[in-house]
Protein backbone atom coordinates (compact mmCIF):
# COMPACT_ATOMS: atom_id res chain seq x y z
CA UNK A 1 0.00 0.00 0.00
CA UNK A 2 2.88 2.34 0.76
CA UNK A 3 4.33 1.78 -2.66
CA UNK A 4 1.03 2.30 -4.41
CA UNK A 5 0.50 5.51 -2.49
CA UNK A 6 3.98 6.75 -3.32
CA UNK A 7 3.33 6.28 -7.06
CA UNK A 8 0.54 8.74 -6.75
CA UNK A 9 2.11 11.51 -4.77
CA UNK A 10 5.83 11.13 -4.42
CA UNK A 11 8.20 13.19 -6.56
CA UNK A 12 9.00 10.83 -9.41
CA UNK A 13 12.68 11.74 -9.95
CA UNK A 14 13.83 10.47 -6.62
CA UNK A 15 11.27 7.81 -6.12
CA UNK A 16 13.46 4.74 -6.27
CA UNK A 17 16.20 5.82 -3.91
CA UNK A 18 14.17 7.78 -1.42
CA UNK A 19 11.41 5.20 -1.26
CA UNK A 20 13.94 2.43 -0.62
CA UNK A 21 15.66 4.40 2.09
CA UNK A 22 12.31 5.37 3.53
CA UNK A 23 10.95 1.85 3.66
CA UNK A 24 14.16 0.47 5.12
CA UNK A 25 14.11 3.07 7.81
CA UNK A 26 10.44 2.41 8.50
CA UNK A 27 11.14 -1.29 8.90
CA UNK A 28 14.02 -0.53 11.19
CA UNK A 29 11.84 1.73 13.29
CA UNK A 30 9.04 -0.81 13.47
CA UNK A 31 11.60 -3.37 14.66
CA UNK A 32 13.05 -0.97 17.19
CA UNK A 33 9.60 -0.17 18.56
CA UNK A 34 8.76 -3.85 18.94
CA UNK A 35 12.03 -4.48 20.71
CA UNK A 36 11.36 -1.48 22.92
CA UNK A 37 14.74 -0.12 21.91
CA UNK A 38 14.17 3.49 22.84
CA UNK A 39 17.87 4.17 22.36
CA UNK A 40 17.27 3.96 18.62
CA UNK A 41 14.74 6.77 18.69
CA UNK A 42 14.96 8.42 15.29
CA UNK A 43 15.45 12.08 14.57
CA UNK A 44 12.36 14.26 14.39
CA UNK A 45 12.48 14.15 10.62
CA UNK A 46 12.82 10.39 10.22
CA UNK A 47 9.20 9.61 9.45
CA UNK A 48 8.80 12.20 6.76
CA UNK A 49 11.28 11.62 3.98
CA UNK A 50 8.58 11.28 1.38
CA UNK A 51 7.76 14.38 -0.58
CA UNK A 52 4.12 15.24 -1.09
CA UNK A 53 3.42 16.70 -4.46
CA UNK A 54 0.39 18.93 -4.45
CA UNK A 55 -1.16 18.71 -7.88
CA UNK A 56 -3.72 21.43 -7.34
CA UNK A 57 -2.56 25.02 -7.57
CA UNK A 58 -1.31 26.81 -4.49
CA UNK A 59 -4.25 28.48 -2.82
CA UNK A 60 -2.94 32.01 -2.84
CA UNK A 61 -6.35 33.34 -1.85
CA UNK A 62 -5.50 32.55 1.76
CA UNK A 63 -1.83 33.49 1.73
CA UNK A 64 -1.04 35.72 4.71
CA UNK A 65 1.93 37.21 2.80
CA UNK A 66 4.37 36.49 5.62
CA UNK A 67 7.35 34.16 5.52
CA UNK A 68 6.76 30.75 7.05
CA UNK A 69 8.16 30.04 10.49
CA UNK A 70 11.29 27.87 10.22
CA UNK A 71 10.54 24.18 9.85
CA UNK A 72 12.62 23.32 12.90
CA UNK A 73 10.42 25.50 15.10
CA UNK A 74 7.17 24.13 13.68
CA UNK A 75 8.33 20.56 14.28
CA UNK A 76 10.06 20.95 17.64
CA UNK A 77 7.86 23.40 19.55
CA UNK A 78 4.57 21.56 19.81
CA UNK A 79 1.47 20.91 21.84
CA UNK A 80 0.48 17.25 21.68
CA UNK A 81 -0.33 16.20 25.22
CA UNK A 82 -0.64 12.53 24.31
CA UNK A 83 3.16 12.68 24.08
CA UNK A 84 3.76 14.89 27.12
CA UNK A 85 2.89 18.42 28.16
CA UNK A 86 6.31 20.01 27.51
CA UNK A 87 6.79 21.86 24.23
CA UNK A 88 9.66 19.56 23.25
CA UNK A 89 8.04 16.32 24.45
CA UNK A 90 6.14 15.61 21.21
CA UNK A 91 9.27 15.87 19.02
CA UNK A 92 11.04 13.53 21.40
CA UNK A 93 8.29 10.97 21.96
CA UNK A 94 6.06 10.95 18.89
CA UNK A 95 8.24 8.48 16.98
CA UNK A 96 6.20 5.87 18.85
CA UNK A 97 3.13 6.75 16.78
CA UNK A 98 2.54 4.52 13.75
CA UNK A 99 0.83 6.73 11.15
CA UNK A 100 0.40 4.03 8.47
CA UNK A 101 -1.71 2.13 7.78
CA UNK A 102 -4.36 4.50 9.16
CA UNK A 103 -8.11 4.44 9.13
CA UNK A 104 -10.81 6.89 10.16
CA UNK A 105 -14.19 5.84 11.49
CA UNK A 106 -17.02 7.97 10.10
CA UNK A 107 -20.35 7.71 11.90
CA UNK A 108 -23.39 9.58 13.15
CA UNK A 109 -25.68 11.56 10.85
CA UNK A 110 -24.06 10.70 7.50
CA UNK A 111 -25.26 8.73 4.50
CA UNK A 112 -21.87 7.10 3.97
CA UNK A 113 -20.77 5.82 7.38
CA UNK A 114 -17.78 3.45 7.28
CA UNK A 115 -14.29 2.90 8.52
CA UNK A 116 -12.29 4.48 5.73
CA UNK A 117 -8.67 3.84 4.89
CA UNK A 118 -6.97 7.25 4.95
CA UNK A 119 -6.37 7.04 1.19
CA UNK A 120 -10.10 6.53 0.59
CA UNK A 121 -11.10 9.56 2.63
CA UNK A 122 -8.41 11.98 1.43
CA UNK A 123 -7.83 12.41 -2.29
CA UNK A 124 -4.04 12.51 -2.46
CA UNK A 125 -4.31 13.60 -6.08
CA UNK A 126 -5.97 16.84 -5.07
CA UNK A 127 -3.62 18.13 -2.38
CA UNK A 128 -3.18 21.87 -1.98
CA UNK A 129 -0.48 24.02 -0.41
CA UNK A 130 -1.84 26.51 2.08
CA UNK A 131 0.10 28.92 4.23
CA UNK A 132 -1.88 29.77 7.35
CA UNK A 133 -1.35 31.73 10.53
CA UNK A 134 -1.64 29.62 13.67
CA UNK A 135 -2.48 31.51 16.89
CA UNK A 136 -2.19 29.52 20.07
CA UNK A 137 -4.34 30.30 23.10
CA UNK A 138 -1.09 30.72 25.04
CA UNK A 139 -0.40 33.87 22.96
CA UNK A 140 2.26 32.67 20.57
CA UNK A 141 1.87 32.28 16.83
CA UNK A 142 3.49 30.77 13.75
CA UNK A 143 3.12 30.85 9.98
CA UNK A 144 2.72 27.29 8.75
CA UNK A 145 2.93 25.92 5.19
CA UNK A 146 0.47 23.02 5.20
CA UNK A 147 -0.31 20.45 2.55
CA UNK A 148 -3.81 18.98 2.57
CA UNK A 149 -7.38 19.23 1.35
CA UNK A 150 -10.41 21.30 2.32
CA UNK A 151 -12.41 19.65 5.11
CA UNK A 152 -15.52 20.32 2.99
CA UNK A 153 -14.30 17.85 0.35
CA UNK A 154 -14.23 15.05 2.93
CA UNK A 155 -17.61 16.06 4.33
CA UNK A 156 -19.14 15.98 0.85
CA UNK A 157 -17.78 12.48 0.39
CA UNK A 158 -19.37 11.17 3.60
CA UNK A 159 -22.67 12.98 2.90
CA UNK A 160 -24.01 14.67 6.04
CA UNK A 161 -27.73 14.15 6.57
CA UNK A 162 -30.09 17.12 6.75
CA UNK A 163 -30.31 16.88 10.57
CA UNK A 164 -26.51 17.15 11.03
CA UNK A 165 -25.46 20.39 12.75
CA UNK A 166 -21.99 19.68 14.14
CA UNK A 167 -18.86 17.72 13.31
CA UNK A 168 -17.00 15.95 16.12
CA UNK A 169 -13.40 14.74 15.80
CA UNK A 170 -11.47 12.27 17.90
CA UNK A 171 -7.72 11.62 18.21
CA UNK A 172 -6.19 8.18 18.56
CA UNK A 173 -5.87 7.11 22.21
CA UNK A 174 -3.45 4.20 22.39
CA UNK A 175 -1.33 3.83 25.50
CA UNK A 176 1.19 1.70 23.65
CA UNK A 177 1.95 4.53 21.24
CA UNK A 178 1.18 7.55 23.43
CA UNK A 179 3.03 7.70 26.75
CA UNK A 180 1.18 10.88 27.82
CA UNK A 181 -2.11 9.00 28.19
CA UNK A 182 -0.89 7.72 31.54
CA UNK A 183 -1.62 11.13 33.00
CA UNK A 184 -5.21 12.37 33.18
CA UNK A 185 -4.30 15.90 32.06
CA UNK A 186 -7.17 15.85 29.56
CA UNK A 187 -10.22 13.69 29.00
CA UNK A 188 -8.85 11.11 26.54
CA UNK A 189 -9.40 10.58 23.72
CA UNK A 190 -8.77 14.20 22.74
CA UNK A 191 -11.95 15.45 21.10
CA UNK A 192 -12.87 18.62 19.26
CA UNK A 193 -15.80 19.91 17.27
CA UNK A 194 -17.04 22.50 14.82
CA UNK A 195 -20.45 23.74 13.81
CA UNK A 196 -21.25 22.34 10.37
CA UNK A 197 -21.11 25.73 8.62
CA UNK A 198 -17.66 26.33 10.18
CA UNK A 199 -16.53 22.92 9.00
CA UNK A 200 -17.77 23.69 5.47
CA UNK A 201 -15.98 27.07 5.38
CA UNK A 202 -13.32 27.34 2.67
CA UNK A 203 -10.60 27.90 5.27
CA UNK A 204 -11.21 24.71 7.28
CA UNK A 205 -8.52 22.31 6.17
CA UNK A 206 -7.32 18.77 6.78
CA UNK A 207 -3.53 18.61 6.65
CA UNK A 208 -1.50 15.56 5.67
CA UNK A 209 1.76 17.44 5.15
CA UNK A 210 4.00 20.29 6.23
CA UNK A 211 6.70 22.08 4.25
CA UNK A 212 5.92 19.82 1.27
CA UNK A 213 6.56 16.61 3.17
CA UNK A 214 4.44 14.18 5.13
CA UNK A 215 3.25 15.52 8.48
CA UNK A 216 5.70 14.72 11.26
CA UNK A 217 4.05 12.68 13.98
CA UNK A 218 4.38 15.51 16.49
CA UNK A 219 2.33 17.76 14.19
CA UNK A 220 -0.51 15.25 14.03
CA UNK A 221 0.32 12.61 11.43
CA UNK A 222 -1.22 11.33 9.34
CA UNK A 223 -4.31 13.59 9.37
CA UNK A 224 -4.91 16.75 11.34
CA UNK A 225 -7.46 19.51 11.33
CA UNK A 226 -6.44 23.15 10.75
CA UNK A 227 -8.90 25.92 11.64
CA UNK A 228 -6.83 29.09 11.35
CA UNK A 229 -9.38 31.58 12.71
CA UNK A 230 -9.60 29.63 15.98
CA UNK A 231 -7.06 29.06 18.73
CA UNK A 232 -4.58 26.29 17.97
CA UNK A 233 -6.14 23.72 20.26
CA UNK A 234 -9.15 23.36 17.94
CA UNK A 235 -6.74 21.88 15.37
CA UNK A 236 -7.01 18.29 16.53
CA UNK A 237 -4.23 15.87 15.58
CA UNK A 238 -4.02 12.25 14.41
CA UNK A 239 -7.76 11.97 13.72
CA UNK A 240 -9.32 8.49 13.96
CA UNK A 241 -12.98 9.40 14.05
CA UNK A 242 -15.30 11.95 12.45
CA UNK A 243 -18.93 12.03 13.63
CA UNK A 244 -21.81 14.19 12.49
CA UNK A 245 -24.21 15.13 15.29
CA UNK A 246 -27.28 17.24 15.92
CA UNK A 247 -26.05 18.45 19.31
CA UNK A 248 -22.92 20.41 20.18
CA UNK A 249 -20.19 17.86 20.88
CA UNK A 250 -18.13 17.84 24.06
CA UNK A 251 -14.50 18.91 23.62
CA UNK A 252 -11.55 17.89 25.78
CA UNK A 253 -10.46 21.44 26.62
CA UNK A 254 -13.97 22.57 27.44
CA UNK A 255 -14.41 19.58 29.76
CA UNK A 256 -11.09 20.29 31.49
CA UNK A 257 -11.65 24.02 32.06
CA UNK A 258 -15.03 25.31 30.83
CA UNK A 259 -14.40 28.89 31.97
CA UNK A 260 -11.16 29.06 30.01
CA UNK A 261 -12.01 27.18 26.83
CA UNK A 262 -15.36 27.44 25.14
CA UNK A 263 -16.71 25.55 22.16
CA UNK A 264 -16.08 28.35 19.65
CA UNK A 265 -12.58 29.46 20.65
CA UNK A 266 -12.38 32.04 17.88
CA UNK A 267 -9.22 34.13 18.04
CA UNK A 268 -10.47 37.33 19.67
CA UNK A 269 -8.19 40.04 21.08
CA UNK A 270 -11.16 41.59 22.92
CA UNK A 271 -11.99 38.54 25.01
CA UNK A 272 -9.23 37.70 27.46
CA UNK A 273 -8.45 34.26 28.73
CA UNK A 274 -9.36 34.38 32.46
CA UNK A 275 -5.66 34.20 33.35
CA UNK A 276 -4.05 36.36 30.63
CA UNK A 277 -4.68 38.91 27.90
CA UNK A 278 -5.28 37.89 24.30
CA UNK A 279 -4.45 41.35 22.92
CA UNK A 280 -0.96 40.47 21.74
CA UNK A 281 1.03 37.48 20.63
CA UNK A 282 4.65 36.46 20.25
CA UNK A 283 5.53 35.22 16.78
CA UNK A 284 7.87 32.27 17.27
CA UNK A 285 11.35 33.28 16.14
CA UNK A 286 10.78 37.01 16.68
CA UNK A 287 11.47 39.34 19.55
CA UNK A 288 8.77 41.58 20.91
CA UNK A 289 5.07 41.10 20.44
CA UNK A 290 2.50 42.00 17.81
CA UNK A 291 -1.16 42.85 18.05
CA UNK A 292 -3.53 39.90 17.68
CA UNK A 293 -6.09 40.35 14.91
CA UNK A 294 -9.77 39.47 15.25
CA UNK A 295 -10.36 35.98 13.85
CA UNK A 296 -6.57 35.79 13.47
CA UNK A 297 -6.87 38.08 10.44
CA UNK A 298 -9.40 35.91 8.58
CA UNK A 299 -12.49 38.02 9.40
CA UNK A 300 -13.39 38.61 5.73
CA UNK A 301 -13.89 34.89 5.30
CA UNK A 302 -15.50 33.93 8.59
CA UNK A 303 -17.08 36.87 10.45
CA UNK A 304 -20.49 36.37 8.77
CA UNK A 305 -20.90 33.01 10.48
CA UNK A 306 -21.05 34.73 13.87
CA UNK A 307 -23.35 37.63 13.00
CA UNK A 308 -25.68 38.29 15.91
CA UNK A 309 -23.75 36.12 18.35
CA UNK A 310 -22.29 37.57 21.54
CA UNK A 311 -18.69 36.42 21.21
CA UNK A 312 -17.87 37.24 24.81
CA UNK A 313 -20.46 34.67 25.86
CA UNK A 314 -19.78 32.27 23.01
CA UNK A 315 -15.99 32.28 23.56
N1 LIG B 1 -4.71 15.31 19.87
C1 LIG B 1 -4.22 16.52 20.16
N2 LIG B 1 -4.37 17.53 19.28
C2 LIG B 1 -3.89 18.75 19.58
C3 LIG B 1 -3.26 19.02 20.82
C4 LIG B 1 -3.12 17.93 21.73
O1 LIG B 1 -2.58 18.06 22.84
N3 LIG B 1 -3.60 16.71 21.35
N4 LIG B 1 -2.83 20.30 21.12
C5 LIG B 1 -3.49 21.39 20.41
C6 LIG B 1 -2.84 22.70 20.65
S1 LIG B 1 -3.04 23.38 22.20
C7 LIG B 1 -2.18 23.38 19.66
S2 LIG B 1 -1.61 24.96 19.90
C8 LIG B 1 -1.92 22.73 18.33
C9 LIG B 1 -0.44 22.79 18.05
O2 LIG B 1 -0.15 22.28 16.78
P1 LIG B 1 1.38 22.17 16.32
O3 LIG B 1 2.11 21.38 17.38
O4 LIG B 1 1.36 21.48 15.00
O5 LIG B 1 1.90 23.57 16.23
O6 LIG B 1 -2.34 21.36 18.30
C10 LIG B 1 -3.60 21.13 18.91
N5 LIG B 1 -4.03 19.78 18.65
MO1 LIG C 1 -2.50 25.66 21.94
Amino acid sequence: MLIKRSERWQESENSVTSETIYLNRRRLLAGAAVAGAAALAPSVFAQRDRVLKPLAARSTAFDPGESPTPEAAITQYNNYYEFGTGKDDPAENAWRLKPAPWSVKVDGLVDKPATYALEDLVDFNALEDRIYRLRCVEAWSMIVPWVGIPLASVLKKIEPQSGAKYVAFETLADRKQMPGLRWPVLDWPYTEGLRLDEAMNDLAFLAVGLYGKELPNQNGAPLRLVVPWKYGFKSIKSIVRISLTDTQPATSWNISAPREYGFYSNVNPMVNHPRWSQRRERRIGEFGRRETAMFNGYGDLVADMYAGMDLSKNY
Side-chain angles (χ1 to χ4, degrees), residues 78-82 136 171 190 219 224 232-233 235-237:
N78 300 101
N79 275 333
Y80 197 165
Y81 280 16
E82 288 87 333
C136 185
T171 295
Y190 192 105
N219 293 91
R224 142 315 142 77
F233 65 87
S235 295
I236 182 171
K237 296 176 170 180

Side-chain angles (χ1 to χ4, degrees), residues 87-107:
K87 290 282 182 284
D88 46 8
D89 288 341
E92 193 172 310
N93 298 325
W95 61 274
R96 294 170 181 277
L97 178 76
K98 191 169 172 261
W102 193 267
S103 55
V104 180
K105 181 180 177 182
V106 171
D107 61 0

Side-chain angles (χ1 to χ4, degrees), residues 265-281:
S265 303
N266 292 318
V267 173
N268 189 341
M270 308 305 286
V271 177
N272 291 331
H273 183 280
R275 291 183 280 136
W276 59 80
S277 165
Q278 293 291 19
R279 299 272 305 277
R280 280 181 250 283
E281 66 200 56

